Amino acid sequence: MADDLILQISNLSKAFGPVQALRGVDFELRRGEIHAIAGENGAGKSTLMNAVDGILRPDSGEIRFDGRPVDIASPAMAQRLGIGFVHQEIALCPDITVAENIFMAATNASPHLLMNYRDLERRAAAVLGQLGDIDPTSLARDLSISQQQLVEIAKALTLDCRVLILDEPTAALTEKEAQVLFGIMRRLAAQGISIIYISHRMVEIFDNCDRVTVLRDGQYITTRKIAETTPREIVNAMVGRVIETLYPEKQRPEERSAEVILAVENLSERRRFRNITFDVRKGEILGFAGLIGAGRSEIVKGICALEGEVTGEVRLKGRCLDRRHYKDSIAEGIVYLSEDRKGDGLFLEMSIASNVSALAVQQIASNLGVIDDRREQAQARGLGEQLNLKCGHVGQPVSTLSGGNQQKVAIAKMLSVKPQVIFLDEPTRGVDVGAKAEIHRILRELARSGVGIVVISSELPELIGVCDRVLVVREGQISGEVSGDSMTEENIMHLASVLERQQVAI
Amino acid sequence: MGLLKRLLRMRETGLILIILALFVVMSFASPYFLTWVNMRAMAMAFAVEGIVVVGMTILLVSGGIDLSVGSVTALAMVIAGLLFLNGVDPWTASLISIAACTAIGAGMGFFVTRVGLHHFIVSLAVMVIARGACLLGTGGRPLGLFTLPPEFKFIGQGSIGVIPVVIVIFVAVVVTFDFMLRRTTIFRKVFYTGSNEKAAAYSGIRTKKVVFLTTTLCSALCGVAGIIYMARFGSAQPTFGIGMELNVIAAAVIGGASLSGGTGTIFGAILGAILLSVVSSSLALLDVSVYWQDIIRGSILLAAVSIDHYLNKRRG
C-alpha cells in the first residue's frame, strides 16, 4: 500500500519558543483522496500545513513525498514538488489585475523577460470560468471577498499540482460558491490529485471528504474513514472530551430578562450595512453569525464609533448616545475586542500592564497625569487573576505569552474600564482549547453580572454553544435570528447564504 | 529582577560604558582631552542640538520622522534676526520666530494626518522650502546682529557660576521631557500610537492628534534651538544646520529609538548624541582628517543598530 501514498509525514515536531505546536505528528495522504484535517484552533493544523508548504522548518520528523524523503525549504520548492496551498487569509496584491495575481508565481519563475499580458488573461479566463463570473482584467481590489477567495483558489488550480491544500476555503463563500468548489475538488480527486481540506464545518467534511485526521493540542489523535465515523465522534476527538461539557451552561429561563441594555435602531452606513436594528438584553450572550465579508465586524465597529460614517440610533439603558469617536464609546462603557489580536488588538512589544491600562490610562495616573507604575501593575495583576492569566510578571512584553494568554490580556484591557457592553470579534481565534473554554466561562460570568455580551464568530459550533440568541448577517443586513432549538448550523448557514427577511421560528 | 540585572539589560548602561571607555582611552591618547576647556566645548557642541534630539526622539516614538530639523532651526534664526534688524525687540522677535516654527510643524502635521502623506516626503519638501526661505530672506549671507543686547546674548554665551546657560537650558529640557515621556499619560499615548497605531485607535486614542502634536512639538523645539544658536553666535546663518537631521536621527537611533516607532527614551537619545560628539571631538584631537569623520560616524550608526537588532532578535 505504501506506493499508494503521495505524502507521508512521520513524527513531525515543531516548537515556537516554549510553545510546542506539533508533537510527533503522523499523517498520510493517498493519491486522489480528499482528506480532511479537523481540529480546534491552535490544534496545529496550520503549523502542519506550513511545514508541508515549506513556510516553516520542522524541528524533527520526516516528510516523504512520492515515496522519497524531502526537505521542503521554501514555498517555491513545495511548488516545484507539486504542492499547492490556498491560505485561509486572502493575500492578493490589490493594485494589479486578477490575471497577474493568478500567475504571480509563474511570472516569478518565468524565463521570459517580458510579460505577455494577453496570454495571461486568456489562461486566467479559462481557470476562472470553472469557478464563477470574474473578469481576469479587473483589479483585485475591486472584487468582493468571496470573489477574492475564488481567485486564491484559481491561483492554486493553475499550478500543476499533485497535492492541493485548502485551508478554510469556504469561510468567505456562499453556499452556492462552496458547492462549485466541492464539485471542482471531486473532479480533481478523480484525476488523481490529492486534496487536504481544512475546515471547522462538519457538514462540509462529511459531505465531501474521504478520510479525516484529527489533531488536538499539536498531537495526532486519529484518522478515520468518513463512511465509518460520525460528526459527533470527530468533534469529541477534536476537543478531547465529550462535547456537552465544553461550553458553559446557558442562560437559565428564570434569568431571562426583558431589560434592554443596548438598543440599536436603523443603523446604516453608506456602503457596508443598512437598517440594523437589534437589542442586547441583560444577562444574555448575543451572537453575530455570517460569512466573512458580510459586514458583521463593520456593524459592530459602527456601533462603537470606531470607523465609518454611521447613521441611526444607539441607546444605552434607554439613553440615546452621541458617539463621535471610539473614545466617547469607551467613556460610556461600550468596548470592542478586535478580531486581529496581533494586528490591531495589542501592543506586542509593550508590557502586559501597559496593555491592560491602554483604554483609560488616566485611571492609573494622578490628577496631573503622572502614571503610577504600582497602580498600573496592581490593575494588571488584579484583572489577570480574575481571568486566570498565566504569566511570570506583568512587566513582561505581551509577545512572550501564548495566544490564549494574549487574548486574556486583550480581554483584561476591555474589563479595565468596567464596561456595560462588550463586543467580541472572534474572541477565541488562535487560542488553545483550554483557554477557549475559560474565555467562554468568563463571558458567561460577565453576562450573569449584568454586562451585555455580543460575540461575533465564524465558528458556528462556538456560537451555538455559547450564545443564547444569534443574529445572522448577510450582505450588510440582518437576515434572521435563531435561538433555542432553531439554533443549528444548517439554519444559520441557510440564513447566511440566502437573503430572506424572515425569522426562523423562535 | 535585581537592580543590577535590570541596569545591565538597559541599553543606556551599555552606552554609558562605551562613552566611559572612550573617555579613558582618550585621556591617555591626548592630554588635552580631559581638560575643562575641551569638556566645555564638547558639551556646548551637542547641547543645543540635544534640544532638537529631544523633539526628534518623541516624534520617532510616535512613528514619525522629520528631515527638516536643520532647515527649520536655521529659519528660526533668520526670522528672529530679520525681525530684530527691522526694529523688533529681540525677545518678541524670538517668540514670533518660535511660533512660526511651531506653525511649520503644525503644517507638516496637517499634511501627514489630514492629507495622508508620509512624514518622510512632507518633511523632505519642508526641508527644501525652509532652506530656500532662509536664503531668500538673507540673500544667502549671514545676518550680523551686533546690536543684540547683552542680556539676550546671555542665553547663548553666559554662564551661571561655571556652568554655561546653554547647558542649564539643555539639562532642564532633557530632564523635563525624559520624565514626561516615561511617566505621563499624554506621552504614554505617544508610545501606544507608535507601537501599533491601529491598536491605539482601537483603544480610543486619537492617533492622528497624537502624531500631529509630536510633529508640531519637534519643529517648535527646533525654533527654540535656533534662537539659542542665534544668541550664541550673535548672528543668523542661513546655511546653518545642513546635515543636522542625520546627526539627530542617528543619536536617537543609537539611543534606542526605532524608526518603526514605539520605542525610545530621551535619556538614551542624549547618550547617543554624547557618544557621537565625543567621537567627533576625539577624532579631531587625534588629527584624523575631517574627511574620515563622516565615514566613521556613519559606521558607528550602522554598528550600533546592527548590534541592537541582533540582540532584539535573540531576546524575541
Side-chain angles (χ1 to χ4, degrees), chain A residues 369-390:
Chain A
V370 177
I371 293 171
D372 184 338
D373 285 346
R374 256 177 267 161
R375 261 163 74 191
E376 183 172 50
Q377 297 190 352
Q379 178 192 48
R381 270 197 300 272
L383 287 167
E385 250 164 60
Q386 187 189 335
L387 300 181
N388 199 13
L389 175 73
K390 289 181 199 79

Side-chain angles (χ1 to χ4, degrees), chain A residues 93-109:
Chain A
C93 299
D95 294 310
I96 61 175
T97 65
V98 167
E100 287 170 81
N101 265 295
I102 290 176
F103 292 102
M104 209 166 358
T107 304
N108 183 32

Side-chain angles (χ1 to χ4, degrees), chain A residues 301 306-307 325-327 330 336 338 342-344 346-347 349-350 354 357-359 361 365 369-371 376 413, chain B residues 179 182-186 188-189 191-193 195-196 198-206 209 261-263:
Chain A
K301 287 178 190 172
L306 256 164
E307 56 177 46
H325 190 268
Y326 182 42
K327 205 173 153 186
I330 295 173
Y336 168 74
S338 139
K342 289 187 175 154
D344 49 41
L346 291 169
F347 307 97
E349 69 269 37
M350 294 179 77
S354 301
S357 65
L359 283 190
V361 198
V370 177
I371 293 171
E376 183 172 50
K413 186 173 143 192
Chain B
F179 175 79
R182 278 178 207 271
R183 293 291 301 278
T184 61
T185 53
I186 305 169
R188 174 61 76 76
K189 290 178 187 169
F191 275 101
Y192 286 137
T193 302
S195 176
N196 184 341
K198 221 163 161 209
Y202 282 16
S203 302
I205 293 166
R206 321 252 331 225
K209 200 166 119 191
T263 55

Side-chain angles (χ1 to χ4, degrees), chain B residues 37-307:
Chain B
V37 177
N38 187 50
M39 288 293 123
R40 190 184 145 117
M42 277 198 304
M44 293 290 278
F46 72 76
V48 190
E49 203 166 276
I51 293 173
V52 180
V53 171
V54 169
M56 183 69 84
T57 309
I58 294 170
L59 182 56
L60 285 171
V61 171
S62 74
I65 194 166
D66 185 354
L67 302 180
S68 73
V69 287
S71 311
V72 172
T73 303
L75 189 61
M77 275 196 252
V78 169
I79 292 175
L82 283 175
L83 287 170
F84 174 69
L85 289 178
N86 284 293
V88 181
D89 156 72
W91 304 99
T92 315
S94 303
L95 284 180
I96 294 173
S97 164
I98 294 173
C101 292
T102 312
I104 291 172
M108 288 197 282
F110 171 82
F111 277 101
V112 171
T113 58
R114 296 292 151 195
V115 182
L117 305 181
H118 196 278
H119 260 115
F120 193 90
I121 297 302
V122 173
S123 65
L124 184 68
V126 170
M127 170 170 114
V128 180
I129 292 171
R131 184 65 67 194
C134 286
L135 298 172
L136 183 71
T138 60
R141 289 176 301 275
L143 303 174
L145 310 169
F146 310 109
T147 54
L148 276 177
E151 64 271 19
F152 186 81
K153 286 192 204 155
F154 180 75
I155 305 175
Q157 301 171 8
S159 293
I160 299 173
V162 290
I163 316 279
V165 177
V166 171
I167 306 287
V168 175
I169 298 175
F170 163 73
V171 170
V173 169
V174 167
V175 170
T176 311
F177 278 100
D178 186 73
F179 175 79
M180 293 209 296
L181 192 60
R182 278 178 207 271
R183 293 291 301 278
T184 61
T185 53
I186 305 169
F187 282 97
R188 174 61 76 76
K189 290 178 187 169
V190 176
F191 275 101
Y192 286 137
T193 302
S195 176
N196 184 341
E197 184 168 355
K198 221 163 161 209
Y202 282 16
S203 302
I205 293 166
R206 321 252 331 225
T207 54
K208 286 185 172 173
K209 200 166 119 191
V210 169
V211 173
F212 178 83
L213 289 176
T214 55
T215 311
T216 309
L217 176 67
C218 182
S219 296
L221 287 173
C222 290
V224 173
I227 296 305
I228 298 174
Y229 275 125
M230 185 176 84
R232 188 166 140 206
F233 301 143
S235 65
Q237 302 179 3
T239 54
F240 183 79
I242 292 175
M244 185 204 264
E245 62 283 349
L246 298 182
N247 243 344
V248 169
I249 294 167
V253 169
I254 290 173
S258 154
L259 286 187
S260 49
T263 55
T265 63
I266 304 281
F267 184 45
I270 293 304
L271 287 174
I274 293 178
L275 177 66
L276 287 176
S277 175
V278 171
V279 169
S280 288
S281 163
S282 307
L283 294 172
L285 284 178
L286 295 174
D287 271 337
V288 175
S289 149
V290 280
Y291 304 119
W292 273 105
Q293 292 196 15
D294 279 346
I295 294 176
I296 293 173
R297 276 205 314 230
S299 311
I300 291 177
L301 175 64
L302 210 53
V305 178
S306 306
I307 291 170

